[in-house]
Amino acid sequence: MFSKLESFWCRPPVYWLLILLLAAATPLTFAPYYHFWLMPLLFAAFIRLLELRPDVRTRSAYLFGLVAYTVQFYWIHTALHNISGLPNLYALPLTMLLPAYLALFPATTVWLWNRIRLNRWLHTGLALPVFWTLAEFARERLLTGFGWGALGYSQIADHAPLAGFAPLGGIHLVTFATALLGAWLVLLVDNKGRLKKRLALACAVAALLFGGHIAKQTDFTQPTGQTATVALAQGNIEQHLKFRNDQVLPTLDRYFRQIADTHADIVILPETAFPVMLQELPDNIIAEFAEQARQNGSALAVGTMQYTADGMNYQNAVVNLTDYRIGAANIPFYAKNHLVPFGEYKPLPSLTAPLYQMMDMPLSDILHGGEAQKPFPMKNQQVAFNICYEDGFGDDLIASAKQSTLLANASNLAWYGDSNAMFQHLQQSQARALELGRYMARATNTGATAIVDNKGRIVAMAPTNTATVLKEEIQGYQGETPYMRLGGSLPFIGLLSVFAAVFLAVGLKRNR
């Protein structure tokens, strides 16, 4: 019966339709839906289809990636067309450009996997998860990287046992565990071997899930005993108004009123809350913000653009105004280091300059802030900041996190309207909180403004696309997770690379 069903699946119209449907369903596994249980099943079905049609495996993987990344990242079109005003003649093909590039990674993975010959238990049960994880790592690193949509992020959810691997080895270990689970489900269901093999595989699946669950319950970092109330201002400034000259004062007034009405230990304003260069703001305005926060007993951090010390470049920064006084020469700041290609700098300026002239994107070619910047001392916490896109790169945050008791992200996702982008970004913050064993405070312009605890759970979230202030008590944490002690993903990725080299050496030799 099962073989007849698979023969039906192999028919080209059915086969390609199944590939499309599996890929189209992948957004349901990520935020805001959080159907984490669905990803291993989708991945298992995808693997089985690849096994059934070895003649079209690479094409199948490319189509799967193209469709999956297109439906996951549809909000690129929102930023290009709806917000930036780029005509659809350009916006539609540019929207497809990123998925078309990202799909090369699963296609390359499957091409390599198809080239080697191993017994099925090694080929499907181990080699494919190893290759897939290495490809996801490469996708996160090449050309500054884009790791959104990795299998592991689908497991960053409240009741997902595999999320427990995040503090052990980071998001790539979670990706590997998810790929293993999908591959082992294939072998468990479609296995003509003896009962002992099925039982062994069932035990392996149970051990994987149980191991993740135990790790998730384990406390790798410790409370400092110091709690603080954190207030996150959400200005809800529409992107097309954000940098208009006639909107500067209304924007400043909105944020000032939010600060004035808020009594908290720590107050954080989102990315570019000050919509002009910091040095172009009169000292008395900056001082009014700082003084109002002091009167309320608050330490204050604000997102802003600023010129570098030589005045020749500028940075995307968060400034600590807690101790600011008029005439202060140096304001403590954190400057964004991991920049967005084509958004904050132009990798190919000669080719892309005409497109920037068509779009309302005034900020580009921003200077890197540098690695391992120190946390801000704010009340009884040491707050390690990152800005927007940086929250997708856990390895980059380790050095600052080691010195911190609280993590904070300042973002402006108004570029993507009321899309899933803000929730996918929130899920990355959940992953970082798990990896680094600390609370994460997210101050955003339009959403998702939230407080995430050290276990990756959302403990409070503001309504999106609303001007509001989210206030919540947090607990400071100290210590290091195993992932932090390892220094990031590289040791685990190095181990997988050794396995991959062995599989290639043995598998290619057998293929000759």
Side-chain angles (χ1 to χ4, degrees):
M1 178 66 180
F2 192 66
S3 60
K4 289 182 179 180
L5 183 60
E6 289 192 332
S7 297
F8 176 71
W9 292 348
C10 286
R11 295 178 183 178
V14 178
Y15 177 87
W16 293 113
L17 178 61
L18 287 173
I19 291 288
L20 291 172
L21 291 175
L22 291 173
T26 56
L28 297 176
T29 69
F30 299 102
Y33 313 107
Y34 289 105
H35 297 311
F36 65 90
W37 53 270
L38 183 58
M39 180 58 87
L41 300 179
L42 294 176
F43 194 63
F46 171 62
I47 293 172
R48 186 56 189 150
L49 288 173
L50 294 178
E51 287 188 329
L52 292 174
R53 291 290 306 272
D55 55 318
V56 291
R57 281 179 180 171
T58 303
R59 279 178 281 168
S60 301
Y62 187 83
L63 179 63
F64 179 85
L66 180 66
V67 175
Y69 297 137
T70 298
V71 295
Q72 288 172 31
F73 312 137
Y74 69 92
W75 37 260
I76 297 172
H77 179 265
T78 303
L80 292 174
H81 178 68
N82 299 13
I83 305 300
S84 299
L86 191 66
N88 269 327
L89 177 65
Y90 303 102
L92 288 173
L94 286 174
T95 298
M96 294 301 301
L97 187 61
L98 180 63
Y101 162 70
L102 297 178
L104 293 172
F105 290 91
T108 303
T109 298
V110 171
W111 178 81
L112 281 173
W113 179 64
N114 199 37
R115 296 270 297 173
I116 63 175
R117 294 291 178 268
L118 299 167
N119 70 67
R120 191 180 179 218
W121 289 81
L122 282 176
H123 192 244
T124 296
L126 190 55
L128 181 57
V130 166
F131 290 159
W132 193 279
T133 304
L134 289 174
E136 295 279 45
F137 174 78
R139 181 161 72 85
E140 186 194 80
R141 296 301 175 107
L142 293 179
L143 301 177
T144 79
F146 190 83
W148 296 48
L151 292 186
Y153 283 117
S154 70
Q155 303 304 297
I156 305 301
D158 286 353
H159 304 293
L162 297 186
F165 290 108
L168 297 181
I171 195 63
H172 298 297
L173 180 56
V174 184
T175 290
F176 182 59
T178 309
L180 280 178
L181 180 57
W184 291 354
L185 288 174
V186 173
L187 298 177
L188 186 62
V189 172
D190 183 63
N191 187 340
K192 299 179 178 61
R194 296 180 180 178
L195 180 60
K196 287 184 179 180
K197 286 187 176 181
R198 284 182 180 272
L199 288 175
L201 198 53
C203 289
V205 168
L208 183 68
L209 295 172
F210 184 68
H213 172 74
I214 293 299
K216 196 172 183 181
Q217 307 308 312
T218 303
D219 294 321
F220 296 106
T221 54
Q222 303 78 42
T224 62
Q226 299 288 330
T227 62
T229 53
V230 177
L232 308 173
Q234 183 173 284
N236 195 40
I237 311 298
E238 295 182 41
Q239 190 60 38
H240 73 280
L241 299 175
K242 189 170 177 60
F243 296 106
R244 277 176 37 175
N245 290 333
D246 62 343
Q247 293 298 312
V248 171
L249 290 180
T251 296
L252 293 175
D253 182 66
R254 178 174 297 184
Y255 281 119
F256 183 82
R257 291 178 183 276
Q258 288 183 327
I259 292 172
D261 294 339
T262 300
H263 293 266
D265 296 318
I266 299 170
V267 177
I268 301 174
L269 273 58
E271 179 184 18
T272 59
F274 287 173
V276 295
M277 291 292 177
L278 182 67
Q279 291 86 346
E280 294 176 356
L281 273 177
D283 282 352
N284 64 301
I285 292 181
I286 301 174
E288 285 178 12
F289 274 81
E291 181 58 31
Q292 183 60 63
R294 269 194 299 272
Q295 289 179 11
N296 291 355
S298 305
L300 176 64
V302 180
T304 183
M305 299 300 298
Q306 65 176 19
Y307 291 111
T308 53
D310 59 10
M312 301 298 293
N313 296 286
Y314 54 96
Q315 297 170 315
N316 188 350
V318 173
V319 293
N320 186 356
L321 298 183
T322 302
D323 298 317
Y324 179 80
R325 300 289 192 280
I326 289 181
N330 297 305
I331 303 176
F333 68 90
Y334 169 85
K336 188 174 185 179
N337 187 55
H338 204 130
L339 304 178
V340 183
F342 303 104
E344 294 176 318
Y345 75 97
K346 299 188 287 289
L348 303 170
S350 60
L351 298 178
T352 57
L355 293 174
Y356 280 86
Q357 294 174 3
M358 298 182 195
M359 296 187 289
D360 183 21
M361 293 182 68
L363 303 177
S364 58
D365 291 327
I366 296 172
L367 193 68
H368 295 267
E371 298 179 357
Q373 298 176 61
K374 291 184 178 180
F376 290 165
M378 302 183 75
K379 288 293 184 175
N380 59 5
Q381 303 295 319
Q382 294 291 324
V383 187
F385 274 88
N386 70 84
I387 299 176
C388 201
Y389 186 62
E390 293 183 303
D391 222 21
F393 304 91
D395 288 5
D396 293 355
L397 308 185
I398 292 175
S400 294
K402 286 181 177 180
Q403 307 172 63
S404 76
T405 59
L406 172 66
L407 308 173
N409 174 270
S411 294
N412 171 36
L413 297 172
W415 285 106
Y416 308 108
D418 191 19
S419 71
N420 287 350
M422 64 176 71
F423 301 107
Q424 292 171 4
H425 193 250
L426 169 62
Q427 196 169 33
Q428 293 180 1
S429 288
Q430 293 175 262
R432 303 293 85 83
L434 268 167
E435 289 173 342
L436 304 172
R438 284 154 173 77
Y439 272 70
M440 171 72 78
R442 287 175 47 85
T444 75
N445 177 18
T446 57
T449 297
I451 297 287
V452 179
D453 72 9
N454 62 307
K455 295 296 185 179
R457 297 170 297 208
I458 300 168
V459 297
M461 185 167 72
T464 61
N465 301 303
T466 304
T468 187
V469 176
L470 179 68
K471 184 178 174 182
E472 187 70 22
E473 185 173 81
I474 63 93
Q475 168 68 253
Y477 273 80
Q478 62 187 353
E480 298 180 16
T481 62
Y483 166 70
M484 295 170 73
R485 293 193 195 100
L486 288 170
S489 302
L490 288 180
F492 172 63
I493 293 300
L495 179 62
L496 289 190
S497 298
V498 172
F499 277 104
V502 172
F503 291 144
L504 287 171
V506 174
L508 290 175
K509 185 176 181 180
R510 288 186 178 182
N511 197 25
R512 291 192 184 102

